Amino acid sequence: MRLFNAWEMGQDQTKQQIEKGLHLYQSNQTEKALRVWMRVLEKSADPAGRFRVLGCLITAHAEMGRYKDMLKFAVVQIDTARELEDPDYLTESYLNLARSNEKLCEFQKTISYCKTCLNMQGTTVSLQLNGQVSLSMGNAFLGLSIFQKALECFEKALRYAHNNDDKMLECRVCCSLGNFYAQIKDYEKALFFPCKAAELVNDYGKGWSLKYRAMSQYHMAVAYRKLGRLADAMDCCEESMKIALQHGDRPLQALCLLCFADIHRSRKDVQTAIPRYDSSMSIMTEIGNRLGLIQVLLGVTKCWMIQKELDKALESIEKAQELAEGLGNKLGLLKLHCLCERIYRTKGQQRELRDHVVKFHECVEEMELYCGMCGESIGEKNNQLQALPCSHFFHLKCLQTDGTRGCPNCRRLSVKPGYV
């Protein structure tokens, strides 16, 4: 009886210390919170308590951009879940492992771990995580520029969010959809989805972390810049950056600096843009966001091109190309070939120009970035797009004028538009 009571007391103490850490973390005393949680991890013999505190450490390190530490704790959490012999714990730990790899831009590993989660036969708790699993998998497919599969995953995640009335998940999916449509250049949808996320924050987010507001504002800023509404973009980005600085959110700080730089470049203010690209690059390198680094280098390349410094532009392209090839980011490669085409056309180097034209079209074919109805490219300029339930997407005007009831890509019947 004494042994049982001692074990029960140990559980209570573990729970109290975890709550103490959460209170410190929510009060922006992050380092103190981490010290409390690390002491629990070192001293607690309760596997369930250890599992929970590892979840806290994983979340905190993700928000600080310490992705390698996040991965380390995720691996330990899987061992703890196996010790507990509970499929719900195991599903959650594999989801955290998937997210860690997503943050480190290890997209193939992310997809593999997500599939492991979806194949597990857990209880209702595990099934409720499937929306988050689908979101992480969609982000990974987007990182690899596999657009149809990315959209399919985002639709599944949104369906889970609606079915479970999970407004936080819906908010995160809307931000990812904003990113998706920004990449394939439907800027109206790229703005619509983060605006929807901001509405969810306003309507339901009283007790939520401010990161949800910051995240929606950042994606709105990106869309506004693409639409040429630079003052609106600056306002949203400043609000997002303010929250990121308050909470020590290094990943979001890096993205905001990139957005600020892009806004100044859009104004042809290269002298102001370059230092912001440099600051963003420094943080991206520190946290290991290689996908973000490609975007920074694309922006820097365009600055050099504005200043007619074509050799410096080619140096930036070479660095970005190495990263894009390493990640398997095909859209990044397509953009780089497009920039090279412009540079070599200006230089009058016909052989190099032809090489990049060929590679550009190979990327378009590989990503299927063309409308299956009119045959014209998608993602070359701002166009309204519409996805069918099979997750193939087309020019909206083509769907409206063609009148077809089936998808020309997969021949599946499509009576109604898709979720997104």
Side-chain angles (χ1 to χ4, degrees):
M1 187 62 134
R2 282 181 186 171
L3 283 172
F4 180 76
N5 287 339
W7 179 75
E8 202 172 47
M9 283 176 65
Q11 276 190 315
D12 289 341
Q13 286 175 349
T14 298
K15 187 177 179 181
Q16 287 170 9
Q17 289 301 301
I18 291 171
E19 293 300 327
K20 179 182 176 183
L22 283 169
H23 180 73
L24 288 166
Y25 187 68
Q26 287 160 1
S27 305
N28 286 335
Q29 299 180 66
T30 304
E31 292 302 328
K32 284 184 180 179
L34 292 178
R35 285 197 292 273
V36 170
W37 288 331
M38 286 304 296
R39 280 199 300 272
V40 173
L41 194 60
E42 288 162 9
K43 293 180 179 180
S44 177
D46 169 29
R50 284 170 58 81
F51 184 91
R52 190 177 172 212
V53 82
L54 282 162
C56 294
L57 287 164
I58 288 164
T59 300
H61 283 87
E63 292 185 359
M64 290 186 291
R66 299 178 188 173
Y67 297 143
K68 288 181 181 176
D69 288 329
M70 179 190 181
L71 178 61
K72 180 183 73 178
F73 288 120
V75 171
V76 176
Q77 194 184 47
I78 280 194
D79 292 335
T80 308
R82 287 184 179 132
E83 188 182 338
L84 286 159
E85 297 181 340
D86 185 313
D88 289 340
Y89 283 121
L90 204 53
T91 301
E92 186 177 337
S93 61
Y94 269 105
L95 171 57
N96 283 328
L97 191 58
R99 282 174 173 163
S100 303
N101 280 283
E102 179 198 328
K103 299 295 185 186
L104 288 165
C105 302
E106 296 286 352
F107 298 126
Q108 295 291 0
K109 288 182 181 179
T110 303
I111 293 163
S112 176
Y113 290 128
C114 285
K115 287 179 177 176
T116 301
C117 289
L118 295 172
N119 289 333
M120 284 184 181
Q121 300 298 314
T123 64
T124 309
V125 176
S126 293
L127 292 174
Q128 287 173 349
L129 290 176
N130 283 351
Q132 297 179 46
V133 174
S134 296
L135 174 59
S136 189
M137 193 186 290
N139 289 335
F141 278 126
L142 188 56
L144 295 169
S145 310
I146 304 174
F147 295 108
Q148 187 202 354
K149 288 188 176 180
L151 188 59
E152 193 176 306
C153 289
F154 293 146
E155 284 193 314
K156 284 180 183 175
L158 203 56
R159 206 171 293 121
Y160 280 117
H162 289 163
N163 291 343
N164 294 294
D165 198 29
D166 188 339
K167 302 300 182 186
M168 281 188 184
L169 175 60
E170 186 178 351
C171 180
R172 290 168 58 204
V173 177
C174 284
C175 287
S176 286
L177 282 166
N179 184 25
F180 175 91
Y181 281 108
Q183 289 194 31
I184 59 173
K185 296 192 178 180
D186 181 342
Y187 297 147
E188 283 73 18
K189 280 192 174 72
L191 179 60
F192 169 82
F193 282 107
C195 283
K196 174 65 177 173
E199 281 178 26
L200 289 166
V201 172
N202 289 334
D203 293 344
Y204 303 98
K206 191 175 181 181
W208 296 5
S209 164
L210 280 172
K211 73 177 182 183
Y212 289 95
R213 179 166 186 78
M215 188 168 56
S216 61
Q217 293 295 314
Y218 162 73
H219 286 287
M220 285 167 65
V222 171
Y224 278 133
R225 187 193 72 80
K226 301 274 190 183
L227 287 163
R229 295 170 60 178
L230 301 184
D232 291 327
M234 186 64 81
D235 288 344
C236 289
C237 199
E238 283 175 349
E239 184 170 352
S240 184
M241 186 60 148
K242 182 180 176 182
I243 297 169
L245 289 168
Q246 284 173 350
H247 289 262
D249 188 334
R250 300 285 283 164
L252 186 55
Q253 289 170 30
L255 290 172
C256 288
L257 284 164
L258 168 59
C259 189
F260 283 135
D262 285 339
I263 292 167
H264 289 298
R265 176 175 55 79
S266 297
R267 291 171 170 166
K268 299 292 187 283
D269 185 358
V270 173
Q271 299 304 321
T272 308
I274 288 288
R276 283 154 183 78
Y277 282 127
D278 288 343
S279 297
S280 179
M281 188 181 296
S282 177
I283 300 174
M284 298 278 194
T285 304
E286 171 199 321
I287 66 179
N289 184 352
R290 290 174 288 163
L291 196 60
L293 280 171
I294 294 168
Q295 299 307 311
V296 172
L297 287 164
L298 279 165
V300 171
T301 299
K302 290 171 185 175
C303 284
W304 292 132
M305 289 173 72
I306 289 169
Q307 293 190 314
K308 311 296 184 189
E309 298 272 8
L310 300 187
D311 289 333
K312 287 183 178 179
L314 287 171
E315 286 175 20
S316 295
I317 285 174
E318 189 178 344
K319 292 174 187 174
Q321 187 169 342
E322 187 179 344
L323 286 167
E325 286 173 350
L327 294 181
N329 180 242
K330 292 183 276 292
L331 184 63
L333 288 170
L334 179 144
K335 289 179 177 179
L336 292 164
H337 292 312
C338 185
L339 292 173
C340 283
E341 181 186 337
R342 286 168 55 191
I343 290 169
Y344 287 121
R345 192 181 300 280
T346 303
K347 281 173 160 277
Q349 294 178 228
Q350 295 302 316
R351 190 181 68 182
E352 289 85 354
L353 169 62
R354 283 193 297 272
D355 285 347
H356 286 286
V357 168
V358 169
K359 287 174 182 175
F360 173 85
H361 287 291
E362 285 173 355
C363 286
V364 170
E365 287 291 326
E366 195 176 350
M367 289 185 284
E368 297 183 3
L369 274 181
Y370 50 84
C371 177
M373 291 184 176
C374 68
E376 290 182 11
S377 63
I378 285 173
E380 193 174 333
K381 60 184 179 181
N382 184 20
N383 252 315
Q384 284 187 290
L385 305 172
Q386 178 61 58
L388 297 179
C390 55
S391 296
H392 284 118
F393 46 88
F394 305 87
H395 293 129
L396 178 61
K397 66 179 188 298
C398 294
L399 285 173
Q400 289 171 336
T401 55
D402 187 84
T404 182
R405 296 176 67 82
C407 172
N409 286 19
C410 63
R411 302 299 169 190
R412 195 180 301 178
L413 286 178
S414 33
V415 178
K416 60 185 177 59
Y419 246 85
V420 293

